[in-house]
Amino acid sequence: MFVYDVIVIGGGPAGLAAASSASRCGASTLLLEREGALGGILKQCIHDGFGLTRYQEKLAGPEYANKEIEKLNETTAEVSLLTFVTKIVKLQPGFKVTVVNPKGVSTYTTKKLILATGCRERTAKQVSIHGTNPGGVMTAGQAQYYINILGLMPIKECVILGSGDIGLIMARRITLEGGHVEGVYEAKSTPSGLARNIAQCLTDFSIPLHLSETVTKVYGIDRLEAVEISKVDDKMNPIPGTEKIVKCDSLILSVGLIPENELAKSIGVPLHPVTKGPIVNQELMSKISGVYTCGNAMHVNDLADYVSESGEIAGVAAASTDEIAGVSKAVTWDKNLAYVVPQLVDFAKNTKDVIFYFRVRDVYQNKILKVYLGDDVILKKPFMTLRPPEMERVVLSLPNEGEIKFVLEDIAK
Amino acid sequence: MTKLEKFQERFAEVYPSFRAEAKDDCVVLSGVADNYEDLVKAGQMAAKTKWFYGVINDIKLKGYEPTPIKAPSFSDKALEGIHVDVLVIGGGITGCAILRELSKYQLSSLLVDKEEDVAMAASSRNDGCVHVGMDLHKGSLKLKYLVRSRKFYKQMCKDLDVPYRQDGQSIGFTNGWLKLLVRPALKIKALINHVPGGVKVLNRRHFQTIEPNIADDVAFGVFLPGGACTSPYELTIALGESAVHNGAKISLRTIVESMKVENHRVFSVQTNRGIIYPKVVVNAAGAYSDVIAEMMNDRFFTIHPRKGTDSIIDKAALPTLSRTSTTVYPKLGQLKKTHSKGGAVMPTSDLNALVGPDALETPDREDYTTDKARVDAMFDKQIHAMKNLSERDIITYFSGIRAATYEEDFVVQKGKWTTNVIHAAGIQSPGVTAAPAIGIDVAKWASEMLNAKTKEKWDPIRKGIVKTRLLSNEERDALIKKNPAYGHIVCRCEEISEGEIIDAIHSTIPPTTIDGIKRRVRAGMGRCQGGFCQPAVLSIMAKEEKIDPLSIGKKGEGKLFFRRTKEGK
Amino acid sequence: MKEFTCIVCPNGCTLVYDEDKHVCNGNRCPRGARYAESECLNPERTLCSTVATIVSGYPVISVKTNREISKKLIGEVIKVLNRTLITEALPIGSVVIPNVLNTGADIITTAPMKKE
């Protein structure tokens, strides 16, 4: 006897789409969200560029979230805010979820779980920044919250470490709010963010981008006073003797997102070492039967539109009452790709128009992506440029069972 | 030839550019050193003779300008003209333990600290180990106070509602044949040192039942079941709160600037908040305790600061690491004599893993910087203890300064020349363990100086802030039904509720910064290091204290914000 | 010849625009060609920012221009926003400043505000 068919943990764009689609498929659905409002990180992403594919509109983060919330409100899915999951127990079948919220401690049982727990930000200490421990060192998300939600300005003169999208977005945001960005520093030799963000966030404001340089030390006791920046080699190790000191009162860190999967780990969901998210099949079900995932918890996404798409896939799949099949075949990829999601295909499930996401390991020009199903090539797609920060998406139909392999080759002359 | 002349001769041979003079039965070293290592070694040489009552090392380091003491930027007259029976200088674990003991007597007491909170220096920058004293010297004050403290430590932690975990301490050895020598030697030492819980010497198979993740080349292990740990800053705060609950006073952001000493007595103490007139002054000033002793005209020792760095490992990785505080004895041939132990891998009282500390002599008494090369070196070393250890699991690191004297022992005694002072100085490891017993002696001496009797009523109990994450579902549910704020989880990594943060804000020694709240309830100590919760903690603090969030800082006098983004006009 | 990145969609095509011949290369869609032309003649951007409010729970609320405006006017529009104060809870999409600085664009809220 289960109280719910589907419980979705996380009310950001992934969870909203998952709960919405599960409910529309007829599943009794409960969405658990730890904040006081739905929308997840989109609430503080006030810049636009969301919804270009999903809604053919250029929306600000909160507008996109609002549309997703309205879609959810049209369903009978229940929502519990300020609700924190403290424990999940596998009942086999099904799960028991214990939550804490201002009403007390409650437990719910559910047939299926969808983990839409998003990401957290990598910290300064996790990228070996040493020296003192002053105020003024903050992640891009923290700075974004202070500026966009609380209307408080924590920055006068800053250095941004990391050229990922969030760092670039904040470079523009800080500048528009009257702060000064001395520069954006990136340890890799190529920028991490989308090309258009380099253009509209850095080039537009004449903010310099320094590649192959990183912050190694901070100075200042109670508040940051300066940072030490070093050039790095191709292994991203600081090169001794190349240090320079830059005076600033703020260091903004945009050094990567880490999928939040402590709950997944607690119930033994195997994670992929590269994505740091659960290993999934094309229905976004993990290797633990009945546990699905989507969004940034599954792998770090660039576009909210794809996050919502993955939520819908997971929601529909979780709502299905079909028997959960067992055997899946592994998807493999050559060393040019960092990863492909999903990593498994269950041939007893839907094999038409399966969505695959992938990232490459390095910057490549003029490559052709070949996808093999057994010995047959089922996709040949040329790409002029492929970059690690830009996640790609291909849709494939799999007419028969076989090993799937993603390969990148040079375009034949 | 007198002892001093003998020493001067030997000293001049080794250090021709330094001078050694007598001051009563102490030795005063002077001169200018080219490097800091010589300066320290000179002091250590003088201390090693054991002839001198104390070493006053006034050798200067060439080209080194001492960093000025970090002092509050304001002054007022809040304490001007106050008369108090006992003034305690220093709000670390030693000062707070003393204050709590003083509060048992019929006397007035005031503790001052220059920082904005207690436990800001070494007391919040250590591994929280409650030691067994195996490696201490018989006759040392370190051992004396450790043994006394251990007799009541567990009960004290219970009374003060702070964590106490007795997991034990382990040392692995790679040279198997050493077992024959080690077993009898340690058994005897354990008896002499009154090591609580004794010592077991175990073969590898048995050792692995205690430490399953021990490195593969460890041949045998020494296990000290009495090894324990606590949260040193929680304990310091609890000691301070208990003291205040029993009538003691604490004044923070109060720095001692100078003293007037007349007729071998401290007459008055000048602070940035006015001049205080104490009958007795206690020196618990940690890394600055020799500076305070100098102000008291009672300096017979010198602090040579020794920095140590610790790394904190993600809680999730602890099951792959140690169950006890574990280290591996260096291979013979790699043995280096250092006064501080070579660090270990241990579970903290909050179930992180902690790696470290190392030891670095530094002239800077408040150098809390960390250094990548030194953290790398510690991990390279400790991987010989715990095979799954990886820097990838680091969530943060921090440094502390040990207040080491050249004799490498505590200075716990009444003043040598000045009659109304008591020193609880030079406290380094095992300070967290020994402080409670030191407090008893110091308070006793102070009460004798004042002819003060014990109070009839004294409350040993201090209730800490509830840890909702440790309650059963039923207990937690009942608590939330009474106060819904306990059901709103603010710090997700550590599972800390809004109710607990509010409790911290309204606690007996109220925090004035984000870090002060962090020290009391752990919000911000998790893997995201405050990334998610810091703004929420800030908002709660602004609401509870009815202050502008613009004015709230993270630590010290640093501001988090410069202005609002929009003035709206 | 001008080379720059198109910002219209996530593809971020590298555009090469010949100002004299009004020819654009590198774009994967017609929007890119239009962007190339406007970027050379009179670059336009949308502006997303915040406006202060006195509504409880909303120290600031997010807003945007509902269409592109001349890049040259961004600084002035920011100054106008900094002086603007919202005094009541507004639904998402509400016009806060119509036709700001005569750009033809309205400043609209991009997040809902709950009444107390």
Side-chain angles (χ1 to χ4, degrees):
Chain A
M1 195 240 114
F2 294 96
V3 181
Y4 291 95
D5 294 327
V6 176
I7 287 183
V8 179
I9 302 177
L16 287 168
S20 194
S21 58
S23 182
R24 278 172 217 275
C25 288
S28 63
T29 309
L30 171 65
L31 174 62
L32 305 173
E33 165 54 49
R34 57 192 181 186
E35 287 194 71
L38 295 170
I41 204 71
L42 290 179
K43 296 196 293 295
Q44 62 187 63
C45 296
I46 66 156
H47 50 281
D48 61 16
F50 299 93
L52 290 166
T53 51
R54 193 163 168 81
Y55 295 107
Q56 286 80 50
E57 283 184 68
K58 194 161 75 160
L59 300 171
E63 288 179 311
Y64 183 98
N66 192 63
K67 278 185 163 2
E68 296 293 317
I69 293 167
E70 280 178 349
K71 274 165 106 162
L72 181 71
N73 289 341
E74 290 164 7
T75 73
T76 55
E78 291 169 48
V79 175
S80 187
L81 299 173
L82 291 175
T83 299
F84 184 85
V85 175
T86 53
K87 196 178 169 110
I88 304 175
V89 173
K90 287 189 284 207
L91 298 174
Q92 272 153 351
F95 306 88
K96 185 170 83 167
V97 179
T98 307
V99 305
V100 167
N101 62 27
K103 295 206 197 82
V105 181
S106 318
T107 51
Y108 303 104
T109 47
T110 182
K111 289 183 188 146
K112 311 276 186 72
L113 262 182
I114 303 181
L115 303 174
T117 45
C119 275
R120 66 178 186 275
E121 295 179 280
R122 187 167 276 117
T123 66
K125 304 276 171 78
Q126 287 177 293
V127 291
S128 300
I129 293 176
H130 283 265
T132 54
N133 195 16
V137 177
M138 61 199 101
T139 57
Q142 250 181 330
Q144 190 180 52
Y145 188 96
Y146 283 131
I147 293 173
N148 294 344
I149 304 290
L150 296 183
L152 300 169
M153 188 59 173
I155 296 156
K156 265 200 185 138
E157 175 83 20
C158 74
V159 160
I160 298 180
L161 178 63
S163 62
D165 288 321
I166 179 64
L168 301 175
I169 294 287
M170 283 316 291
R172 175 176 64 183
R173 191 77 194 98
I174 290 163
T175 308
L176 288 174
E177 288 299 341
H180 183 249
V181 181
E182 187 275 347
V184 174
Y185 292 84
E186 167 59 57
K188 298 200 187 75
S189 54
T190 53
S192 298
L194 297 171
R196 69 169 175 157
N197 285 332
I198 307 269
Q200 62 188 354
C201 298
L202 299 189
T203 318
D204 266 10
F205 299 95
S206 307
I207 296 170
L209 171 64
H210 305 267
L211 298 172
S212 298
E213 292 187 46
T214 195
V215 174
T216 43
K217 240 194 214 176
V218 296
Y219 298 90
I221 305 292
D222 290 344
R223 178 83 200 202
L224 187 69
E225 286 168 15
V227 299
E228 176 190 87
I229 291 169
S230 294
K231 291 206 201 306
V232 297
D233 61 23
D234 52 10
K235 297 214 174 43
M236 297 204 289
N237 292 321
I239 301 169
T242 63
E243 300 89 11
K244 76 174 186 203
I245 307 286
V246 173
K247 285 205 178 127
C248 54
D249 51 69
S250 308
L251 171 62
I252 310 301
L253 291 147
S254 164
V255 289
L257 297 176
I258 303 167
E260 278 273 29
N261 281 307
E262 299 308 311
L263 281 175
K265 282 194 261 184
S266 74
I267 49 172
V269 173
L271 306 180
H272 190 272
V274 177
T275 61
K276 305 271 192 291
I279 295 168
V280 293
N281 66 14
Q282 78 272 32
E283 294 202 322
L284 306 189
M285 188 174 84
S286 72
K287 281 176 131 172
I288 299 287
S289 184
V291 178
Y292 299 78
T293 186
C294 52
N296 273 356
M298 188 170 76
H299 64 137
V300 176
N301 284 258
D302 314 316
L303 300 178
D305 301 53
Y306 291 163
V307 163
S308 300
E309 176 180 71
S310 72
E312 280 173 347
I313 295 170
V316 168
S320 161
T321 49
D322 291 350
E323 273 303 299
I324 291 170
V327 186
S328 299
K329 278 206 154 30
V331 174
T332 58
W333 50 89
D334 71 9
K335 57 176 169 47
N336 293 315
L337 274 69
Y339 69 80
V340 176
V341 166
Q343 301 91 346
L344 300 166
V345 172
D346 183 338
F347 284 92
K349 296 282 169 180
N350 171 58
T351 50
K352 192 170 179 299
D353 295 330
V354 175
I355 300 170
F356 288 89
Y357 308 102
F358 70 89
R359 281 188 197 274
V360 291
R361 215 178 266 289
D362 205 343
V363 180
Y364 298 116
Q365 313 272 22
N366 298 322
K367 293 279 187 191
I368 187 159
L369 173 72
K370 280 198 185 145
V371 182
Y372 289 85
L373 178 62
D375 291 323
D376 305 321
V377 175
I378 55 168
L379 178 78
K380 253 195 275 200
K381 186 168 177 183
F383 288 91
M384 232 165 46
T385 314
L386 285 165
R387 299 172 60 236
E390 285 157 30
M391 189 177 82
E392 298 290 341
R393 175 183 178 278
V394 291
V395 183
L396 301 170
S397 291
L398 310 167
N400 50 264
E401 206 171 306
E403 302 284 343
I404 299 159
K405 183 156 182 168
F406 280 64
V407 168
L408 261 189
E409 290 172 6
D410 292 319
I411 289 181
K413 305 274 189 291
Chain B
M1 228 193 199
T2 63
K3 275 192 180 153
L4 174 70
E5 282 164 350
K6 276 194 208 152
F7 175 74
Q8 280 168 323
E9 198 182 79
R10 267 198 311 125
F11 190 68
E13 265 172 52
V14 184
Y15 300 106
S17 53
F18 301 154
R19 276 186 319 282
E21 307 293 340
K23 181 192 174 179
D24 281 359
D25 45 2
C26 300
V27 65
V28 181
L29 307 178
S30 56
V32 180
D34 286 325
N35 62 66
Y36 192 65
E37 208 189 329
D38 283 347
L39 189 158
V40 172
K41 284 210 166 106
Q44 287 170 332
M45 185 177 170
K48 222 184 291 214
T49 64
K50 304 208 198 296
W51 296 338
F52 304 113
Y53 189 89
V55 175
I56 299 165
N57 188 345
D58 282 342
I59 299 171
K60 301 274 170 282
L61 177 59
K62 190 150 144 199
Y64 173 72
E65 267 308 310
T67 317
I69 185 170
K70 183 171 184 282
S73 63
F74 75 104
S75 50
D76 63 24
K77 297 278 181 221
L79 301 174
E80 177 68 26
I82 279 191
H83 289 257
V84 68
D85 289 333
V86 186
L87 175 69
V88 178
I89 302 173
I93 195 167
T94 309
C96 289
I98 291 167
L99 194 72
R100 181 171 185 248
E101 291 300 320
L102 285 171
S103 72
K104 289 177 176 166
Y105 294 92
Q106 295 177 41
L107 49 78
S108 58
S109 56
L110 168 68
L111 181 150
V112 295
D113 194 290
K114 67 184 181 74
E115 305 292 346
E116 73 269 14
D117 199 357
V118 297
M120 289 289 286
S123 298
S124 59
R125 299 166 181 280
N126 66 77
D127 52 31
C129 276
V130 182
H131 291 288
V132 296
M134 179 61 106
D135 54 345
L136 298 174
H137 301 300
K138 183 165 147 66
S140 67
L141 294 180
K142 282 181 177 182
L143 183 62
K144 172 167 127 174
Y145 288 110
L146 178 145
V147 169
R148 284 190 192 173
S149 270
R150 285 302 308 252
K151 294 203 170 83
F152 60 85
Y153 209 95
K154 187 172 175 186
Q155 182 60 43
M156 175 192 72
C157 286
K158 188 151 176 263
D159 290 342
L160 293 172
D161 199 9
V162 301
Y164 177 85
R165 294 172 52 92
Q166 191 163 314
D167 296 320
Q169 188 188 342
S170 312
I171 305 137
F173 288 80
T174 49
N175 297 105
W177 55 267
L178 269 178
K179 197 153 152 238
L180 291 168
L181 298 173
V182 157
R183 177 179 266 127
L186 291 182
K187 291 281 185 191
I188 294 169
K189 193 90 200 281
L191 279 173
I192 295 170
N193 282 8
H194 300 278
V195 166
V199 60
K200 292 186 172 56
V201 180
L202 307 166
N203 66 25
R204 186 189 164 82
R205 197 167 53 88
H206 277 131
F207 193 45
Q208 264 191 298
T209 63
I210 292 171
E211 284 294 14
N213 297 311
I214 198 78
D216 293 331
D217 60 349
V218 167
F220 73 95
V222 170
F223 179 58
L224 300 152
C229 71
T230 182
S231 169
Y233 42 90
E234 254 190 83
L235 175 56
T236 304
I237 291 165
L239 288 163
E241 289 183 351
S242 174
V244 170
H245 172 59
N246 283 296
K249 302 257 185 294
I250 294 180
S251 179
L252 298 167
R253 299 186 74 200
T254 307
I255 187 168
V256 170
E257 294 167 343
S258 63
M259 298 188 197
K260 217 186 239 173
V261 181
E262 290 165 358
N263 298 320
H264 302 286
R265 287 180 62 85
V266 172
F267 172 72
S268 65
V269 175
Q270 167 96 48
T271 73
N272 64 318
R273 310 201 73 176
I275 302 175
I276 301 171
Y277 299 89
K279 294 203 176 105
V280 173
V281 186
V282 173
N283 174 12
Y288 284 101
S289 51
D290 57 345
V291 173
I292 293 294
E294 184 79 51
M295 285 184 204
M296 290 167 159
N297 281 4
D298 207 66
R299 177 164 160 231
F300 50 89
F301 59 92
T302 310
I303 301 294
H304 61 105
R306 194 159 56 231
K307 181 161 87 167
T309 300
D310 284 311
S311 298
I312 302 272
I313 298 270
D314 195 318
K315 285 181 176 179
L318 180 63
T320 67
L321 298 169
S322 57
R323 307 264 180 285
T324 76
S325 171
T326 307
T327 192
V328 166
Y329 201 74
K331 273 187 159 56
L332 294 182
Q334 284 172 8
L335 213 60
K336 245 171 54 179
K337 227 169 179 222
T338 54
H339 286 287
S340 293
K341 298 187 271 288
V345 181
M346 69 202 80
T348 64
S349 60
D350 291 289
L351 298 179
N352 287 102
L354 187 146
V355 182
D358 61 357
L360 178 70
E361 298 286 340
T362 169
D364 192 331
R365 298 170 199 264
E366 292 179 275
D367 174 11
Y368 299 129
T369 59
T370 61
D371 174 87
K372 181 170 193 304
R374 296 191 65 84
V375 168
D376 290 346
M378 176 55 67
F379 273 74
D380 283 344
K381 179 167 183 230
Q382 294 303 337
I383 199 144
H384 295 291
M386 283 291 133
K387 59 184 174 185
N388 297 321
L389 191 65
S390 167
E391 283 200 51
R392 272 195 320 268
D393 297 318
I394 291 179
I395 63 172
T396 190
Y397 26 75
F398 61 90
S399 291
I401 293 286
R402 302 170 181 86
T405 61
Y406 285 101
E407 297 81 0
E408 300 296 343
D409 197 5
F410 298 156
V411 176
V412 180
Q413 62 169 81
K414 293 183 242 194
K416 185 169 165 50
W417 298 292
T418 307
T419 57
N420 65 340
V421 304
I422 304 170
H423 299 285
I427 309 297
Q428 51 166 314
S429 179
V432 169
T433 318
I438 293 172
I440 292 174
D441 264 5
V442 170
K444 184 159 71 92
W445 297 330
S447 73
E448 285 162 2
M449 287 177 185
L450 296 161
N451 277 321
K453 292 202 262 288
T454 52
K455 285 179 184 160
E456 270 173 33
K457 273 212 201 120
W458 184 82
D459 187 4
I461 304 296
R462 168 260 185 192
K463 191 85 184 59
I465 297 169
V466 65
K467 293 179 179 166
T468 61
R469 64 193 178 279
L470 299 178
L471 299 176
S472 71
N473 287 338
E474 292 72 31
E475 290 172 322
R476 199 169 185 178
D477 185 68
L479 182 68
I480 295 169
K481 298 262 192 319
K482 276 195 284 202
N483 182 354
Y486 287 117
H488 173 206
I489 301 298
V490 172
C491 167
R492 295 84 175 256
C493 300
E494 294 290 309
E495 215 176 295
I496 312 293
S497 69
E498 182 182 359
E500 292 159 74
I501 293 166
I502 293 173
D503 287 346
I505 291 166
H506 297 297
S507 61
T508 307
I509 305 170
T512 53
T513 58
I514 299 282
D515 279 2
I517 294 174
K518 183 173 83 167
R519 270 186 294 278
R520 283 155 179 72
V521 289
R522 288 188 67 77
M525 285 189 175
R527 59 182 64 88
C528 91
Q529 289 287 291
F532 279 124
C533 70
Q534 193 190 86
V537 170
L538 185 112
S539 301
I540 295 168
M541 196 172 173
K543 179 160 161 246
E544 285 299 307
E545 298 194 14
K546 301 192 183 29
I547 56 177
D548 189 346
L550 215 55
S551 64
I552 296 172
K554 181 180 183 295
K555 63 190 282 189
E557 295 179 0
K559 286 276 156 276
L560 271 173
F561 307 107
F562 296 98
R563 59 179 166 84
R564 297 213 136 70
T565 54
K566 312 276 154 167
E567 291 308 321
K569 55 177 185 308
Chain C
M1 294 292 261
K2 264 196 177 164
E3 190 178 299
F4 45 85
T5 309
C6 181
I7 62 169
V8 178
C9 91
N11 282 326
C13 301
T14 306
L15 305 175
V16 182
Y17 186 68
D18 187 330
E19 299 159 277
D20 304 313
K21 296 205 187 105
H22 297 279
V23 165
C24 179
N25 277 307
N27 53 308
R28 267 181 266 183
C29 81
R31 289 186 297 175
R34 286 198 293 277
Y35 172 77
E37 176 135 11
S38 81
E39 189 65 8
C40 284
L41 291 172
N42 179 22
E44 288 188 325
R45 299 282 184 270
T46 52
L47 174 66
C48 295
S49 184
T50 53
V51 165
T53 93
I54 52 170
V55 178
S56 171
Y58 300 94
V60 290
I61 190 74
S62 56
V63 297
K64 73 176 190 187
T65 55
N66 62 356
R67 42 163 296 177
E68 263 90 354
I69 63 173
S70 172
K71 198 167 137 187
K72 290 192 285 260
L73 289 173
I74 297 274
E76 287 306 311
V77 175
I78 291 269
K79 285 187 190 149
V80 173
L81 295 182
N82 287 354
R83 292 193 302 265
T84 306
L85 185 68
I86 291 173
T87 52
E88 52 172 343
L90 298 171
I92 188 174
S94 300
V95 176
V96 177
I97 304 170
N99 190 16
V100 65
L101 292 182
N102 240 338
T103 54
D106 299 332
I107 301 292
I108 63 170
T109 60
T110 54
M113 293 170 78
K114 283 194 279 238
K115 292 199 212 297
E116 254 305 273

